[in-house]
């Protein structure tokens, strides 16, 4: 149980294009999903908290117009990197917190998406 | 923001040896999680500790939560190459998690 998928797993795009990454909870409903960015050999940096049916909450320093987040249902959140540039190249990981049955701050992570902007 | 400090940053040991990873903070946490991440994959939850002084075992992995709930440790007995990975501790409130910087563990065959 508690499986989270991400699509695509890898994407290469040209500078200036937009890229959409999907995060799905496969066997549970998630009121809250989280988007992280990870640099090589570094820890996870929280970008934003995504709540179903409401606007995402962005961490300080994260441009909300650059990283658009939509949480349209209890099983799907999307992150769109708009007008991507090489400095946006990174490993993006989503996580989901089950709607029910979780007492603590446990999150279940997707496998990540490697974005390379040329 | 509740900060978590992990040590050591890197650990390279021979198969069969033991290792311990530490996670410390000046803040009190209601719970702490330990995750393991392999290259190119997302973190996988290993354990959640919630009670001060609690000890949890997962096969060769032993997790301990400090009495004051400000620190935790992960001990691996007789490490195997399959234990290689990035170990992350995490804790927080309001559903958000703060992550330690991670400990990269390499177990040589």
């Amino acid at each position: 149980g508690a499986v989270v998928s991400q699509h695509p797993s890898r994407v290469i795009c040209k500078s200036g294009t937009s890229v959409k990454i999907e995060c799905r909870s496969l066997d549970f409903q998630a009121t809250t999903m989280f988007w992280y960015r990870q640099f090589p050999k570094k820890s996870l940096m929280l970008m934003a908290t995504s709540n179903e049916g409401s606007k995402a909450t962005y961490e300080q320093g994260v441009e909300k117009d650059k990283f658009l987040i939509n949480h349209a249902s209890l099983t799907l959140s999307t992150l769109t990197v708009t007008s991507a540039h090489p400095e946006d190249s990174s490993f993006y990981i989503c996580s989901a917190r089950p709607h029910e049955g979780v007492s603590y701050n446990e999150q279940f992570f997707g496998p990540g998406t490697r974005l390379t902007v040329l | 923001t509740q900060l978590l400090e992990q040590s050591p940053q890197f650990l390279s040991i021979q198969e069969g040896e033991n290792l311990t990873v530490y996670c410390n903070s000046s803040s009190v946490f209601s719970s702490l999680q330990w995750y393991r991440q392999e290259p190119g994959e997302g973190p996988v939850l290993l354990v959640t500790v919630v009670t001060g002084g609690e000890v949890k075992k997962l096969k060769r992995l032993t997790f301990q939560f400090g009495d004051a709930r400000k620190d935790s440790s992960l001990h691996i007995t007789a490490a195997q190459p399959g234990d290689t990975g990035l170990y992350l501790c995490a804790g927080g409130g309001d559903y958000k998690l703060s992550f330690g910087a991670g400990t990269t563990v390499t177990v040589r065959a």
Side-chain angles (χ1 to χ4, degrees), chain B residues 48-61:
Chain B
T48 298
V49 287
V50 299
T51 305
E54 179 178 11
V55 176
K56 281 191 173 180
K57 292 193 175 184
L58 186 67
K59 297 184 180 178
R60 294 177 292 100
L61 278 61

Side-chain angles (χ1 to χ4, degrees), chain A residues 30-102:
Chain A
T31 308
T32 307
M33 290 185 171
F34 304 86
W35 287 95
Y36 295 85
R37 184 171 178 176
Q38 186 176 33
F39 293 100
K41 299 190 184 299
K42 297 293 185 182
S43 189
L44 279 69
M45 181 187 77
L46 179 64
M47 299 174 65
T49 302
S50 169
N51 296 293
E52 186 267 337
S54 64
K55 291 183 179 180
T57 303
Y58 291 81
E59 295 299 301
Q60 190 172 9
V62 178
E63 299 176 58
K64 61 180 181 181
D65 295 329
K66 172 77 170 174
F67 300 99
L68 299 179
I69 292 172
N70 183 274
H71 194 153
S73 75
L74 286 173
T75 60
L76 173 64
S77 176
T78 60
L79 167 68
T80 301
V81 183
T82 62
S83 187
H85 288 93
E87 57 265 30
D88 298 324
S89 298
S90 193
F91 193 51
Y92 292 88
I93 309 175
C94 73
S95 71
R97 186 177 185 280
H99 180 58
E100 296 178 335
V102 176

Side-chain angles (χ1 to χ4, degrees), chain A residues 34 38 43 59 105-107 110, chain B residues 35 37 42 48 92 95-96 100:
Chain A
F34 304 86
Q38 186 176 33
S43 189
E59 295 299 301
N105 291 335
E106 293 173 347
Q107 296 178 17
Chain B
Y35 294 84
Q37 183 181 24
T48 298
Y95 306 149
K96 291 200 302 186

Side-chain angles (χ1 to χ4, degrees), chain B residues 76-107:
Chain B
I76 301 179
T77 304
Q80 299 177 359
D83 296 324
T84 293
L86 176 67
Y87 288 82
L88 297 157
C89 67
D94 297 330
Y95 306 149
K96 291 200 302 186
L97 286 177
S98 295
F99 281 85
T103 297
T104 299
V105 172
T106 303
V107 182

